[in-house]
Structures are given as C-alpha cells and as structure tokens.
Amino acid sequence: MSSAAPTASDAAREQGFRLAGRDHRRPRAARLLSAVHRHRADLLVALVWAVLAGWLTHGLWPDPGSRTLALNPEDQTLYEWFLAVDARALLGDFDLLTDLLNAPDGVNLMTNTTVIALGVAFSPVTLLLGAPVTFALLAAGNLAGTALAWYLLFHRTLRTRRVAAALGGGLCGFGPGMVSQTNSHLHMTAQWLVPVIVWLVVRLLRASDPGPPTRDETGRTRTAGPDRRRVVTSAAGLAAAVTAQVFIGEEVLFLAAVTLLVMAISYAVADRELARRALPTFAAGLAVAAGLALLVLAYPLWFQFAGPQGVADGMFTPAYFSADLSSWWAISPLSVVGSDESARLTTGPAEYNTFLGWPLLLVAVACAIWVGRRRLVFACVVAGLVMGALSLGPEVVLGGTRTAIPGPYALIGELPVVDGALPMRFALALLPIVATLLVLAVDRALGSTGRARRLVPVAVAVALLPIFPAPLPTAGRPAVPEFVTGGHWRQCVRPGGVLVPVPLPTPKEPWPMRWATAANAGFGLPEGFFIGPYGRGGTAAMGTFKQPTSALLADVARRGDQPAIGDEQRRQAARDADFWGASCVALTDDAPHADSLRRTLEQLYGPATRIADAWTWRV
C-alpha cells in the first residue's frame, strides 16, 4: 500500500473538520449569536417591516378589545368570531360544520373564509388573551410576514442585492392593495406562503431541467438527467404549502395559481428549449404535488362545495366588484398623499387593489424596457397585462361609467371556481409582478458604473413615495357586557348551548357575535353573519332567513314601537326558541330602544331575571 503525502486539499478538509467540531462544541448561546451576526442584515430588514406594520395598525392597541378598524368593523367582528371558533381546536372541540352560529343549522367553515390554519396556530393566544389580540397581531403580522417572505425570495432565489430585494419586498407587503385588505380581510393579507410556493415551483423547474447536452473528451454527446431527489422533495414541499394555504385563504392560492400559470406559459414561449427539456419531469412533479395535496384536501374541498351548509357558487356580483380602469393611475386614499375623492373608484376601503398611481406605473414600464429582453421580464409583463385586464371584470368601467366594452373576464367568468372570485382582486397579483420588475432594474443599476447606478434607484424610490401607507383609521367600540366577560352567562345557558342576544346578529349588524367571541365561543348563537345556502335554489347568500320572533324584535329595535302581543305571538316565540334550541334570551341596557325591547320580551316570555348587567329569560 502506497502512502502519498497529504495534499493542500486534504489539509484544508481536515482543518474544516476541526473547525466544524469546534463549532459543534461551542455553547448554544455562542452559536446563536454567530447565526445572528451572519444574518444581521436580514434581521434588520425584518425589524423594519415589523415596526412599519406595527405603526400602521397601532390604533388597535393597547386594548384591541375596545378598538376596531373604523373602515370595516363588521368584518373584524366576523373574523374575531372565526378565530375564537378555530381556537377551540386546542380544546378538542372543532368540526368543519359548527353549530355555534346559525343554530340549529350551523355554518360550514370551509365555505366561509375562516382562516382555520391561522386560528389553530394562534389558539393559545386567543384562549389566553382573546380573539381581538390575535386579530391585531395577525393584521400586522401578515403585512410584515409577506414583505419578509418576498424579500427573501428576491434576495436568495433571484440573487439580487439586499437593497433591491428590500424595495420589492416592501411593495409586496405594504402596497395599496395589501394595506386596504388589512381592513379586516385576514384571508387576503396572509400571503407569506405565496413566495414559498413560488420558490418551490422554481426549485422544481430547476431540478427538472437536465441542462443542455455536452460533449465529453471523446466527442460523444452526453445529457445529464434531472435531479430526481430534488424533484420529489420540491413536489412534497409544494403539496404541503398548497395544503396549508387552502386552510389560510383559498382566494390567494387561486390568484397565485392563475398568475403562475400565465407566467409559466409565457416563460415556455420565451425559452422553448428549456420547456422541451424540463416539461416532462416538471409536469410529473406537479402531478405528484397535486396528488399528495389531494390526499389531505379531497374531503375538506368536497365538504366546502357539497357538504352540509356548503355552496358551490359565489355570492358576489362580478359586475359590481370590477376594477375601474381609471383607478389604476389613482393614488390610494390610504396612502400618505391619498385623497378621499378617489375612493369613489372602488366598492369600499378594503378594495383599493388597483391604486398603484401613475408614477409607479410609468417607472415599472420604464424598468421593464430598460432591463431588456429577459425571459423573466417577458413573463412578468405578460402576467401583469393578463391579471390587470381580468381585474376589469365583464364590462370595462371608466371613471365610474360603464362603457359597454366587454372585459376579458367575461370569457372565464362562468367557469367553476372562477365564478366565486372577485375580479378586482386579480389586481393584487400586480404587486409582486411590478415588484419583480423594480427589483431586477434596481439590482442591475447597482451593479453598473454609469448614471443608472443612481438614477434608477432614485426613480424607483420617488415612484414608491406617493403610495407609502398611512396608519389605518381606528375607532373605539362598546365594551362587551359584564354578563359575558364575567362568565355570568353560564347561569342561564350551559356551555355549548344556545344564547339568544337581542337584537339577533345580522350581516349588517353582527355586534352580538362579540359576546360569543369574548366567551371563546363557549355558547352558540342563532342567525348571524356568514355565507350559507340561503339564496334562491340553495345558492350562496349572506346570512339566513329571520324567524318571525327575530324579525319582530329587530323591528322594535329599529323603530322603538311597542307591538301588540297576543297568544299567537307568544306561541310563535316559543316555537322559535325551540327551533333555535335556545336556553336563554338576553338583553342589555345599551341595546337600541332597550326599554321597548324589554317590555316586548316580557310579554313574550314573562318576567325577566337580572344577571349582572343583562336582563335574561329562560326559555
């Protein structure tokens, strides 16, 4: 056996082993400090996003239970109830059909945007501190988390400089559409898994590409095969991410899938050789991912569309929820320089999805032209045009006037799943698309030596300034009755039973749902704010039919009149209480026309019993 002298590479390898062993023996705190030092720039970016998100939502603190997002308090009430119901999974009390609202029929949690995964993940916070605290944390966390996830994708996958990646991540996380959707639409702002999905798709594509053929020393052509291990792990990771996103927000997943499909087709057109090499393995990987995801999602999706209280259609009118063409070059009213005048160009303060402003649009076009004929730029431009056109809905609207010009959405609006999407939300895909163009341009400029090194980053920064967000408007809200917060409700209804608050919750006035939220969904409610099969022919509708007694009490609360109560009304009240499975009816002094309601209830159910700050009737 010959003994060759150690080479320089052998010595380096041995030194590396010694260093690795030494690092392994270092105290855990030292290793943690070393990791922080290596990633301090990334941590600084994350800190900036967290501070900005906290500043935008600071109006909900220090007591989220007494504060509300002033521009959409109804949906905040709904989502806080969702979070309270989701948190019961930690107590072993959770089902996709819950009877804790709309008793006795219940509510299909898959049909509604119940952010199940977020609710379950934050269940300890909800059970200990209350759903309003969880809501406030998620409102800010979704913004910061989405910005950070896109920043990491731009920096580590596109290999762009941190400054460029930070600008792009900031636009993705804090753009006009994201900030406006933060007005109580947690399912739309929880987009931090989308960059993960994009990364896994890119990883799958790269692993599927064997590369161009090469020639060896003998002149023979050799072709490397795909990296099958990475294909399998990418497919498995993609299945896991898609599955998680379904239980966070299906609409975001749908928009991401449509955008990626358009970009994939565009990329394949721009690079046909890559498509020829990678398509078979790439398609197989996607099939594996879909199959793995369906193993988990098959039953929940069936339950959503065909299960009890499920609906197979959308309830929102595409023509109404279409983006106004002129809103694209308008500035969002929620930006620091925004004006309330432009609010007329959309349906409400939670839907400023298209308000990118003309400076950003011009700079984005200029960046796309300047970066040049890159395949990714081509795919982004095509995807941006397609998603922007779809956001215009079935008929183009300009300045609030319908033009009778059909929009591209009319071609796909009747397709399954598509009919449940709001056209104007297709515009949300433009944030990461435009951000990608800006990131590529700024990164190229920073690597140059000419005037572009300063001109391009300055131009991008100036274009982003007008859409810099302002803090979200907030307002105070009434305290939940001590009857609920003090646990006194247990004196007239067993845990899990049905309590009837007067007046009953409706989609327009869901405030009594806060009672159940404050009790961690410890009791059920009749009627309420949700989506269910109560439209014509079992189609989707908001809320349910009012029972006669509920309609009577709602009329008293609205007008303050004292209705005539006879034996028939009392018998009907008993039948309605029996239908709801109710144990107790409760009325607080701050209810509208409380005196009239109390007299009406006493005629219906007899003398009241005072418990804490509520009048109650056992039924």
Side-chain angles (χ1 to χ4, degrees):
M1 179 180 297
S2 62
S3 58
T7 64
S9 61
D10 293 333
R13 189 179 301 110
E14 182 179 353
Q15 176 70 9
F17 287 148
R18 287 200 301 268
L19 290 175
R22 187 183 307 167
D23 184 74
H24 180 72
R25 292 191 298 269
R26 292 168 63 191
R28 181 176 300 178
R31 295 200 302 271
L32 178 60
L33 288 175
S34 176
V36 169
H37 180 74
R38 289 195 305 271
H39 300 288
R40 61 186 182 278
D42 296 338
L43 292 174
L44 178 61
V45 171
L47 178 61
V48 170
W49 296 154
V51 170
L52 178 56
W55 177 67
L56 293 176
T57 59
H58 76 272
L60 294 174
W61 298 93
D63 181 15
S66 65
R67 305 292 297 172
T68 187
L69 292 168
L71 300 181
N72 195 4
E74 296 86 358
D75 280 2
Q76 180 174 343
T77 298
L78 174 64
Y79 275 90
E80 288 174 350
W81 184 85
F82 284 156
L83 292 170
V85 171
D86 296 338
R88 298 194 66 81
L90 195 64
L91 306 176
D93 178 20
F94 182 82
D95 198 343
L96 294 180
L97 178 69
T98 179
D99 59 359
L100 294 174
L101 192 64
N102 190 37
D105 294 343
V107 172
N108 187 315
L109 296 183
M110 289 299 298
T111 294
N112 290 265
T113 55
T114 47
V115 291
I116 294 174
L118 297 182
V120 173
F122 279 78
S123 55
V125 177
T126 301
L127 295 176
L128 289 174
L129 302 177
V133 173
T134 301
F135 178 90
L137 290 173
L138 288 173
N142 283 344
L143 294 174
T146 299
L148 179 62
W150 281 107
Y151 159 78
L152 293 174
L153 180 75
F154 291 141
H155 176 54
R156 298 187 179 183
T157 301
L158 286 185
R159 301 294 182 183
T160 60
R161 292 166 177 81
R162 283 190 171 90
V163 172
L167 286 173
L171 178 58
C172 292
F174 297 93
M178 283 290 289
V179 173
S180 68
Q181 292 289 339
T182 302
N183 282 301
S184 303
H185 290 173
L186 295 181
H187 70 298
M188 296 304 301
T189 59
Q191 297 185 21
W192 31 267
L193 267 183
V194 174
V196 177
I197 292 173
V198 174
W199 170 68
L200 288 166
V201 170
V202 172
R203 186 174 187 265
L204 176 61
L205 176 61
R206 290 174 176 175
S208 302
D209 180 16
T214 58
R215 292 184 180 276
D216 60 14
E217 296 175 352
T218 63
R220 294 179 180 178
T221 301
R222 295 185 178 276
T223 303
D227 188 337
R228 301 190 184 280
R229 182 176 178 276
R230 288 175 67 87
V231 167
V232 172
T233 56
S234 297
L238 183 60
V242 167
T243 299
Q245 186 62 49
V246 166
F247 292 107
I248 295 174
E250 291 174 279
E251 193 169 356
V252 167
L253 178 62
F254 168 75
L255 295 175
V258 174
T259 306
L260 285 172
L261 176 62
V262 176
M263 291 190 69
I265 294 174
S266 304
Y267 206 97
V269 170
D271 192 342
R272 298 180 183 179
E273 182 60 27
L274 172 63
R276 185 190 63 80
R277 295 194 310 264
L279 182 58
T281 305
F282 182 67
L286 291 179
V288 171
L292 292 174
L294 281 175
L295 290 176
V296 179
L297 296 175
Y299 175 73
L301 292 177
W302 170 86
F303 197 92
Q304 173 180 346
F305 296 110
Q309 296 297 102
V311 295
D313 66 318
M315 62 163 292
F316 301 105
T317 306
Y320 179 73
F321 286 97
S322 298
D324 192 308
L325 180 59
S326 58
S327 67
W328 280 100
W329 49 82
I331 303 296
S332 169
L334 297 178
S335 301
V336 289
V337 300
S339 169
D340 290 339
E341 182 181 351
S342 59
R344 64 181 180 84
L345 299 176
T346 188
T347 59
E351 301 294 346
Y352 298 138
N353 307 315
T354 52
F355 290 63
L356 296 183
W358 63 265
L360 181 57
L361 292 178
L362 289 178
V363 169
V365 171
C367 286
I369 295 173
W370 182 69
V371 171
R373 298 176 59 184
R374 294 178 57 171
R375 293 163 295 181
L376 180 56
V377 172
F378 175 74
C380 285
V381 170
V382 173
L385 292 174
V386 170
M387 299 302 282
L390 290 174
S391 74
L392 300 178
E395 181 183 0
V396 177
V397 179
L398 181 62
T401 302
R402 299 194 175 277
T403 63
I405 301 175
Y409 182 86
L411 301 174
I412 64 172
E414 299 299 323
L415 295 176
V417 181
V418 178
D419 62 352
L422 276 62
M424 59 173 48
R425 290 184 180 171
F426 281 81
L428 290 172
L430 269 293
L431 288 179
I433 289 173
V434 170
T436 301
L437 296 175
L438 300 184
V439 167
L440 293 174
V442 171
D443 185 68
R444 179 188 175 189
L446 293 176
S448 66
T449 56
R451 289 186 302 173
R453 182 178 178 85
R454 293 183 179 179
L455 180 61
V456 173
V458 170
V460 170
V462 170
L464 291 174
L465 281 177
I467 63 171
F468 191 85
L472 292 170
T474 56
R477 54 179 171 177
V480 176
E482 202 270 335
F483 167 72
V484 175
T485 58
H488 303 290
W489 59 270
R490 293 183 177 87
Q491 297 181 36
C492 67
V493 59
R494 61 175 177 79
V498 176
L499 173 69
V500 181
V502 178
L504 280 74
T506 66
K508 291 184 178 180
E509 296 183 336
W511 322 125
M513 291 171 61
R514 294 181 59 215
W515 293 18
T517 299
N520 288 325
F523 53 81
L525 302 172
E527 302 178 8
F529 182 15
F530 62 95
I531 295 176
Y534 295 102
R536 181 177 300 178
T539 56
M542 194 72 76
T544 184
F545 313 112
K546 275 190 168 298
Q547 296 302 311
T549 303
S550 174
L552 173 70
L553 295 172
D555 190 63
V556 173
R558 183 172 58 255
R559 300 183 181 183
D561 298 337
Q562 188 68 45
I565 303 296
D567 291 340
E568 177 56 32
Q569 286 75 23
R570 280 186 281 272
R571 285 193 294 270
Q572 183 63 55
R575 286 194 295 268
D576 290 341
D578 184 63
F579 170 77
W580 293 322
S583 303
C584 181
V585 176
L587 170 72
T588 57
D589 295 331
D590 60 354
H593 299 292
D595 291 339
S596 296
L597 284 170
R598 179 186 170 190
R599 288 193 295 269
T600 302
L601 287 166
E602 287 180 336
Q603 292 183 65
L604 291 173
Y605 294 116
T609 300
R610 186 74 172 181
I611 301 179
D613 55 353
W615 297 101
T616 65
W617 292 262
R618 292 183 180 274
V619 294

